[in-house]
Amino acid sequence: KAGLIGLMFRSRLTTMAATSPKGPAMIHRLTDSLNFQAEALVLRSERQRLLASNIANADTPGYVARDMDFATALRQATAQAPNAGAMAATAAGHVQSAAGARTEAQLRYATPSQTNLDRNTVDMDRERASFADNSVKYEATLRFINGSVRSMLDAMRSHNQ
């Protein structure tokens, strides 16, 4: 998913690289920024799904709310930090986990803010605030990607015309 945006413009970027004195290095700089933002968008979407699940299960007895540490997940997804919960292939027949794949171990359990008789740890105020905050950040990331793509296309048009 994260590389999709970079792939969308590959033919245009290849043309641009062929006529640019900097060549392939320019393509990597352009796509690296988009890939980072696309990965952030995927993680925001995944976090939104977790928060929505928590809200939907607010009345489920024994349900334990889950969340993710977004900063750590983004560092791991963009290979800036080692993946603590990653599986290691120790033999030739072992299956490697997908690049950027997140494990259940990276999800955190919410600590209950108050005790409930049904042992449900969903705090609706906290979940709604987190949901709204994540929605705003998702929208900001999406707008940033759209602005970057628009700027890139404008630069390519002016270069080719």
Side-chain angles (χ1 to χ4, degrees), residues 6 9-18 27 30-31 152 156:
F9 300 101
R10 177 174 277 168
S11 63
R12 292 288 291 234
L13 291 175
T14 303
T15 303
M16 187 174 146
I27 291 172
L30 295 172
T31 58
M152 203 181 316
M156 284 186 243

Side-chain angles (χ1 to χ4, degrees), residues 77-125:
T78 57
Q80 294 176 1
N83 191 349
M87 295 184 298
T90 56
H94 290 177
V95 177
Q96 292 279 357
S97 61
R102 283 158 296 283
T103 62
E104 286 292 314
Q106 294 173 323
L107 298 179
R108 301 180 306 182
Y109 289 102
T111 55
S113 57
Q114 60 187 12
T115 57
N116 291 335
L117 293 176
D118 64 359
R119 294 190 185 127
N120 185 310
T121 63
V122 176
D123 178 0
M124 285 301 287
D125 293 332

Side-chain angles (χ1 to χ4, degrees), residues 58-74:
D59 294 327
T60 304
Y63 182 80
V64 180
R66 304 287 303 263
D67 200 357
M68 73 166 64
D69 181 4
F70 182 80
T72 302
L74 185 60

Side-chain angles (χ1 to χ4, degrees), residues 135-154:
S135 295
V136 168
K137 290 177 180 176
Y138 180 91
E139 180 70 24
T141 303
L142 194 57
R143 286 178 188 260
F144 184 84
I145 290 172
N146 286 337
S148 296
V149 170
R150 195 173 302 118
S151 296
M152 203 181 316
L153 288 174
D154 288 344

Side-chain angles (χ1 to χ4, degrees), residues 26-46:
M26 180 65 118
I27 291 172
H28 293 299
R29 281 198 315 215
L30 295 172
T31 58
D32 285 348
S33 174
L34 286 175
N35 287 340
F36 178 83
Q37 294 299 328
E39 189 62 44
L41 195 66
V42 168
L43 287 169
R44 288 271 173 224
S45 177
E46 189 174 323

